[in-house]
Amino acid sequence: MQLKRVELAGFKSFGKKAELLFDAPITAIVGPNGSGKSNVAEAFRWVLGEQSLKSLRGKRGEDLIFNGEGTRLNRASVSVVFDNQDKRLPLDFDEVTVTRTVYRDGTNEYALNGSVVRLRDILELLANVSLGPSGHHIISQGEADRILSANLYERKKMIEEALGLNIYHWKISESERKLSKTEENIREVESLRREIAPHLKFLKKQVEKVEQADLLRRELKQLYLEYLKRESDYLTKTKQELADAKSGPVAELKEVEGELAGVLRQAQGNNQEQLLRDKLRQLESELEHRRREYEEFSRSLGRLEGRLEAAREVSASAAGRDDAPVSAKLVRSKLEAVLSELTNAEGASDLVLVKNILTRVKGLVAGFVNELGVNSDVGQASDRVELIAKLECEQTELTKVIKQTSEHITKLMGELSGERKNLESLREATQGAERQSFELKTKKAELTATLNTLSAQVEKLNIEEADFKRELESAVALTDQEVRDYTKHSMFGFEGIESRTIQEERRKQIERKKIKLEDMGFEGSDVMTEYKETTKRDEFLANELADLTSSRQSLESVMLELKDRLQTEFNGGITKINEQFGQFFKQMFGGGEGKLQVVKEAKKRRSLASLATEPDEIDLEEGGEDDEAREGIDINVSLPRKKVKGLEMLSGGERALTSIALLFAMSQVNPPPFLILDETDAALDEANSRKYGDMIENLAHYSQLILITHNRETMSRAGVLYGVTMGADGLSKLLSIKFDQAESYAK
């Protein structure tokens, strides 16, 4: 399996699509600080499933998307392409592409050869070749020392990941989850069986009582057959007797109702008389209302005419400049008007018309008196003319209203006279049928009372019949369907209807047996059915429990086998790493010894303060594996010509050489497809740089190496050199050169 290329589009400083080909064992990436070299290493870490944005130097998902001046992208993606002709990845493809895309809203999408998959699918696939987001195969800038500074338990996890043992941990974790679920199911099944056991015991006792219930049910059935047969005969005979008793009164009532209908048609005038009386009262009320309106309008017109006449007199006196007193002329003219009205009243024969004329006279006098007080102060001629016009207009309107009211009164008086004549005619025509109607109604009431009595008896019989039907259904429910055919049982020979007292006593016996049967609280067939079902369910649960127990044993066996394999491969891997670590350590330091040692440390009760300051020390996954001690990895080093026995006493350069030796040893024992080293040689001097170069050339036989460096010695060991530059627009650009082609050109 080989890494072919990586494609970056919009990731961090690579705003434009960039592609790096890895067709040489060693590829170096160089460039000035801040040009984006480390972004390549972070792109590998991110596409392989890294979830910690802090390790990618970001806070949010959109921080990974290029956001240069004047350019805003909506997503970033990285694709890694592997040559899978050797089928180390368990996929039926010669080329495998892993792609990860992030969007502005922080959403991530994973794809495998263009098909969207889950993150877990990616991690499980890459675990087969010892790849992952935070493994030993990607050593970012400043992280080379992490394996030395890690605690015992973190260091063990790192080494297990380098050995490709995480797949066992995942399988063990999955088996533990399944085992936990299986044990939970076992507890549930056992709980169900414990719940069923008392019920089974109870049902077994109930079955013993079924025979007693059957005997009582047979006795009840015999009573029911006799009771139902006698009750049916009683209801049939009584119903026929009531039907015969009702037939005569019904026919007679029908005949009386026919005669009464004819009499009522003759006396229908009484209703018309009442309607006429109502109409007369309505017309009289409306006529009285109109007369009051007429009187009110007449008084208003009289007052208005008095005011108008006074205003005209005042206006005429002012126009002729007559020095005679205005009041004398006004008095004379008004008296003449009053005299004229009184003369008209002498010839009127209608009292209403006389009252109207008197009302107008009062209005003339009152208006005249009022005008004497008002118009005497009128000053300007224009005001008098305006007043007269206004009064004349009001006079015209009021006269029109009075005329309409008078016409309406005349019309109402004519209608009232006509209705009174109709009422008298109707009274003469409808005097004959009331006595005959009273006699027929009395007879009808007697027949109706007789029929009501019979209907009450029929209703009572219907209630008894309904009770009979309910009793029949109750008999069927308590015994069986055979009681429905009670008429076929002729063992009860008797003639006529027996006393209801005897039948009532028989009913009481039935009720007592019913209560006794119901007090037993069960139906025999139901108890037997439930007993069989419960027994069957208990057997099913027993089989389920056996299957679950077998599954638990299988899971425990699988887990034990996985742990044994994990421990065996781990111990073998530690041995191989120690061999390589010792060789690389001697090569880097010119002697000495470096060794990994498996240690177990008893768990100590930790204080709350230590939990707050060292939360990373808590290992939730291994907490239940060993309650007394935890296993970890310690590093023992011994430098030549120095009395240095521990990591704490090493200098910065010595720690760098030690970590490089250990990382190279881990990589050589279980070589990943590629190894990325991000400026791990920054702390090395010239002599150690040459040693470092020799080591990476040796390591290149096992894995592809991608080196991010400023060291010339390291650059000289690469087959392909990528240069990364950044312009004013903030975009990282790539330049590449192959040393073998460059040498041929130079020659």
Side-chain angles (χ1 to χ4, degrees), residues 76-307:
S77 65
V78 177
S79 298
V80 177
V81 182
F82 297 98
D83 184 351
N84 191 39
Q85 293 185 3
D86 56 0
K87 297 298 185 290
R88 285 187 64 187
L89 290 175
L91 295 175
D92 192 19
F93 295 98
D94 292 336
E95 186 175 274
V96 176
T97 302
V98 178
T99 304
R100 183 176 180 180
T101 306
V102 63
Y103 298 90
R104 280 285 176 189
D105 59 357
T107 303
N108 284 266
E109 185 180 272
Y110 303 88
L112 192 62
N113 281 359
S115 300
V116 177
V117 295
R118 302 173 301 171
L119 171 61
R120 181 174 179 177
D121 299 330
I122 298 294
L123 296 179
E124 290 181 354
L125 177 67
L126 297 177
N128 291 283
V129 291
S130 301
L131 290 179
S134 57
H136 66 288
H137 55 282
I138 303 177
I139 309 301
S140 299
Q141 184 176 356
E143 291 187 357
D145 190 58
R146 184 163 64 94
I147 193 169
L148 301 183
S149 59
N151 59 43
L152 301 177
Y153 320 110
E154 291 177 345
R155 190 179 296 129
K156 180 187 176 184
K157 288 184 178 181
M158 296 170 65
I159 292 174
E160 286 179 341
E161 184 176 357
L163 293 173
L165 303 180
N166 276 350
I167 188 68
Y168 292 110
H169 282 297
W170 290 341
K171 290 181 179 180
I172 291 173
S173 177
E174 183 68 15
S175 298
E176 287 176 345
R177 186 186 65 80
K178 291 180 179 179
L179 180 61
S180 175
K181 185 64 177 178
T182 301
E183 290 177 345
E184 181 181 351
N185 291 336
I186 289 175
R187 289 192 295 271
E188 290 180 358
V189 172
E190 290 176 344
S191 176
L192 289 174
R193 291 200 71 192
R194 285 194 297 270
E195 292 177 2
I196 290 174
H199 190 53
L200 270 176
K201 186 177 180 181
F202 169 77
L203 289 175
K204 189 174 181 180
K205 292 181 179 179
Q206 293 294 95
V207 169
E208 297 174 357
K209 300 178 181 179
V210 170
E211 293 181 358
Q212 299 177 5
D214 288 341
L215 178 60
L216 181 61
R217 192 173 291 107
R218 286 194 295 271
E219 294 175 356
L220 181 62
K221 179 180 178 181
Q222 295 301 319
L223 281 173
Y224 260 129
L225 288 172
E226 183 175 1
Y227 170 80
L228 293 173
K229 180 69 168 61
R230 293 184 180 277
E231 191 70 11
S232 176
D233 292 343
Y234 162 75
L235 292 174
T236 302
K237 182 177 180 180
T238 306
K239 184 183 293 185
Q240 184 61 42
E241 290 175 353
L242 290 175
D244 294 342
K246 286 182 66 176
S247 59
V250 167
E252 189 175 355
L253 179 62
K254 184 175 181 181
E255 182 179 355
V256 169
E257 287 178 345
E259 295 177 1
L260 182 60
V263 173
L264 290 177
R265 281 194 296 272
Q266 295 178 4
Q268 191 176 5
N270 292 333
N271 294 332
Q272 296 179 359
E273 179 181 353
Q274 184 61 35
L275 294 175
L276 287 175
R277 290 180 182 276
D278 294 340
K279 189 172 182 181
L280 283 173
R281 284 194 292 271
Q282 182 179 359
L283 290 173
E284 289 173 353
S285 176
E286 186 175 359
L287 179 61
E288 181 64 24
H289 175 67
R290 293 299 180 181
R291 284 174 174 174
R292 286 196 298 271
E293 285 184 349
Y294 185 82
E295 292 176 3
E296 181 64 27
F297 292 151
S298 298
R299 286 194 295 270
S300 299
L301 180 60
R303 289 193 295 270
L304 184 61
E305 289 177 348
R307 292 179 59 193

Side-chain angles (χ1 to χ4, degrees), residues 652-669:
E654 291 169 342
R655 289 179 69 88
L657 293 174
T658 302
S659 63
I660 291 172
L662 179 56
L663 290 172
F664 283 11
M666 292 164 56
S667 301
Q668 196 161 341
V669 170

Side-chain angles (χ1 to χ4, degrees), residues 636-670:
N636 296 325
V637 296
S638 177
L639 298 182
R641 298 175 299 279
K642 288 186 179 182
K643 295 182 179 180
V644 176
K645 298 295 183 181
L647 297 175
E648 296 81 3
M649 301 177 65
L650 297 178
S651 66
E654 291 169 342
R655 289 179 69 88
L657 293 174
T658 302
S659 63
I660 291 172
L662 179 56
L663 290 172
F664 283 11
M666 292 164 56
S667 301
Q668 196 161 341
V669 170
N670 186 27

